[in-house]
Amino acid sequence: MNFSALLSLVLMLVQLWPCSLITQNCSTQNSYQAFTAVRRVKRGWVWEPLFATEEQTSMVPVYVGQLKSDLDKQDGNLEYILTGEGAGSTFIIDENNGKIYATQKLDREKKSFYTLRAQVISRKTQLPVEPESEFIIKVRDINDHEPQFLNGPYVATVPEMSPEGTSVTQVTATDGDDPSYGNSARLLYSLIQGQPYFSVEPKTGVIRMASQMDRETKDQYLVIIQAKDMVGQAGAFSATATVTINLSDINDNPPKFQQRLYHMNVSEEAPVGTTVGKVFAEDGDIGENAAMNYFIEEDSEGVFDIITNNETQEGIILLKKRVDYESKRRYSIRAKVVNRYIDNRFLKEGPFEDKTVVKISVENADEPPVFTLENYVMEIAEGAMSGSRVGIVTARDPDDDESPIRYSIVHGMHLKRLFSINEHNGTIITTKALDREIASWHNITVTATETRNPEKISEVNVYIQVLDVNDHAPEFPKYYETFVCENAVSGQLIQSISAVDQDDSAEDHNFYFSLAQEATNNSHFTLKDNQDNTAGIFTAKSGFRRQEQFYFYLPIVILDNGTPPLTSTNTLTVTVCDCDTEVNTFYCRYGAFMYAIGLSTEALVAVLACILILLVFLLAIVAIRQQRKKSPFSEKMEEFRENIVRYDDEGGGEEDTEAFDISALRTRTVMRTHKPRKKVTTEIHSLYRQSLQVGPDSAIFRQFISEKLEEANTDPTAPPYDSIQTYAFEGTGSPAGSLSSLGSNMSDVDQNYDYLIDWGPNFKQLAGMYTSCRSVRD
């Protein structure tokens, strides 16, 4: 680079200083002068780094810069040529001096630089005098874009009572200008609306709390933020954004009762759990910060309770115990409400609770009578005379007027037949004697009714126990069948006895056994009391004779331990048996029966034999009569009676002569297994041969017919069911032998029937027929 070039570079820098460093709003001419800020020399080329400022409008070509060759003598012999991006359209060059002009509006946001090529040729030779060189034209930015809040409008939330300086949110604006050149894209934020509650940082757009705010006073604020480019200088573009700031609730308010004193009423008839009334405390907070719990204070009797309705945040006072107007008419309790969730930061502000007084008045009501006891238990001895006093029930009217009471018994007419009650004083008496052995307890229901208001009725249960009296003497628990053998020896145990008593003893029953006075001198039997409510009967001698005495009646006295003690005499019957070593109870019972009717054993055996013979005779007569009534063709007759068939179609003429056997369809018919039919031709031929010789055996023939009949009956494929197959046999000993023609074709020799003439006049016509046929044949 020569000295002239260096001097030119310094001059250009001085010339550009006011426009590029001091201000960005240079005139168009000064801006274009800035395009020649630097001079560069390459291979004889001398050009300035070229810059073009974007313009909003471009009506005339605007100078951008100049290219110059060191060989240019300014005599017009050189020609400058421009090629590349936008050459000839966006940019043109003065071919004489190398000055470049912009002919169109440039937009840096669309295209920030252009790459072009320059060349210098000789006009005379049209040959380049400098090598082709590439250079770049950069488009410099101007402030032609406004800032924009792309994410607006904004919504932010911050807790109430937040300290000053608390960050709320941040807003951000964007600018389409070049942030690396000048101040076109440098933004400055300011607060248009929102003082004195909020502030904004100018460079970052962070919004902060400027003072503490109470949500209960105001819970929402609208803040307007402005963003200016050019660092807020005059002529800068600006934009605004709205920020809605909501204050979230914190528990900074205690609950407060709406009233310092509540008055409520409750009826003395109200059952436990009745709602007496409601109290309500207000809380400036919302959500769970307003949740509260209610409590009862200063209620030593524990008559009332309070619960919290979580939906309405009300305190519901409930009746915990029944109240009585006549006992206490007014109650004064203290209710307390406390925040359920407490923020410890605000405890210094005071307790988050409140108290109120609730006065409750008891309303008088006409109450039903009240019995002195919840239930009554009474006692009466069984056997007491009708009209005996059982006990007394008492009821009173709890109201001040003390209405008279009327008593009655309900629930069961049978109880009214046993008991009655004095309707004025409640005394219960018996109407008939009671028996403990029938029922030991009686449960009755007594009602008390106000005479002035019959609708007021109360009930009470009365349990009456019937006390036992020793009015049942002991007795045998069952009937004893006692037997003694004729060969019994003295001292032999023949019976163990016990006793039962229907009375209910306070202690265990004790029974004492002894022989009656009239039997103490009995020389046949003795009694031994085992002292355990049982006794044994023993023989007092050896040997007994039935012929002399069949029964012995032994009276036994049983004594109980009741008060007073009762006795009973029970008779034990002892039967004498004819036995060897053991007593046969059935035989003894049977002998006793015969003895009672006055029959001996032999006589009884004879009677039984006669009865048996008579029964056999009667059975034989019945069997004979049944046999006579039975017909040998009963089954076939039954088939004939049932063989009624109706045909609605036209018959087959003379060939349709066989009826259908309906007996094959009867339900009682048993399906027989199929048996294949035998080929009987050989059998018939053999019988025929036997008839020619000595005559067939009748037994064999009968067997043959029986087999064929069985085959016909059991073969379901043999048509038809009611067909008749005939097998005839003249009989054994016939001089003529068999007349059957079966097997006649088996002989090669013609048959000779001349012997028929010798058979007599009975076969004359037959002989004439066969002999004449033979004569004609001959």
Side-chain angles (χ1 to χ4, degrees), residues 406-410 416 421-423 445-449 457:
R406 184 177 67 254
Y407 301 94
S408 62
I409 296 177
V410 296
K416 290 187 176 181
I421 190 171
N422 188 311
E423 66 176 8
T445 301
V446 176
T447 61
T449 307
I457 302 174

Side-chain angles (χ1 to χ4, degrees), residues 684-726:
I684 297 176
H685 289 170
S686 63
L687 292 174
Y688 167 72
R689 293 190 184 96
Q690 293 179 11
S691 67
L692 292 179
Q693 297 174 2
V694 294
D697 188 359
S698 60
I700 296 176
F701 199 82
R702 283 195 298 272
Q703 180 181 358
F704 170 77
I705 293 176
S706 299
E707 291 178 356
K708 300 299 113 181
L709 179 61
E710 179 67 20
E711 289 181 5
N713 288 337
T714 59
D715 187 2
T717 61
Y721 292 110
D722 57 350
S723 63
I724 300 176
Q725 300 183 28
T726 304

Side-chain angles (χ1 to χ4, degrees), residues 443-478:
N443 303 333
I444 64 175
T445 301
V446 176
T447 61
T449 307
E450 289 186 10
T451 56
R452 298 175 185 172
N453 187 0
E455 295 182 355
K456 300 300 178 180
I457 302 174
S458 297
E459 294 182 349
V460 70
N461 292 324
V462 180
Y463 306 99
I464 301 175
Q465 182 181 15
V466 182
L467 301 178
D468 183 55
V469 175
N470 192 21
D471 57 349
H472 289 83
E475 58 185 0
F476 284 153
K478 64 179 181 177

Side-chain angles (χ1 to χ4, degrees), residues 248-349:
S248 61
D249 184 62
I250 60 174
N251 193 7
D252 58 342
N253 291 279
K256 294 290 183 183
F257 279 108
Q258 291 180 329
Q259 301 173 215
R260 295 290 95 187
L261 177 64
Y262 288 86
H263 291 279
M264 300 178 184
N265 299 316
V266 60
S267 173
E268 63 176 341
E269 288 185 323
V272 173
T274 300
T275 299
V276 179
K278 299 179 181 179
V279 295
F280 180 69
E282 291 181 334
D283 194 320
D285 301 318
I286 58 175
E288 68 175 16
N289 294 323
M292 59 191 75
N293 293 325
Y294 293 87
F295 303 94
I296 292 291
E297 289 186 343
E298 299 181 10
D299 182 17
S300 58
E301 299 181 22
V303 179
F304 303 97
D305 193 8
I306 191 170
I307 61 174
T308 304
N309 187 327
N310 293 323
E311 294 183 0
T312 62
Q313 295 300 316
E314 293 176 317
I316 303 174
I317 298 177
L318 303 176
L319 187 63
K320 192 175 180 180
K321 294 181 180 179
R322 294 289 296 269
V323 293
D324 185 11
Y325 175 82
E326 287 72 27
S327 300
K328 189 173 182 178
R329 302 184 180 183
R330 294 180 182 83
Y331 293 87
S332 179
I333 61 175
R334 186 180 297 274
K336 182 176 72 172
V337 62
V338 180
N339 265 139
R340 189 175 302 169
Y341 308 103
I342 298 178
D343 194 335
N344 295 327
R345 295 177 298 173
F346 301 98
L347 286 177
K348 61 183 179 180
E349 303 294 335

Side-chain angles (χ1 to χ4, degrees), residues 379-428:
E379 297 178 348
I380 186 171
E382 67 172 327
M385 295 185 299
S386 176
S388 298
R389 182 178 181 274
V390 180
I392 186 171
V393 296
T394 304
R396 65 175 182 84
D397 184 7
D399 300 318
D400 292 338
D401 55 1
E402 296 183 355
S403 172
I405 305 299
R406 184 177 67 254
Y407 301 94
S408 62
I409 296 177
V410 296
H411 296 177
M413 294 301 298
H414 69 285
L415 296 177
K416 290 187 176 181
R417 292 194 296 267
L418 299 177
F419 305 96
S420 64
I421 190 171
N422 188 311
E423 66 176 8
H424 300 294
N425 57 24
T427 301
I428 300 174

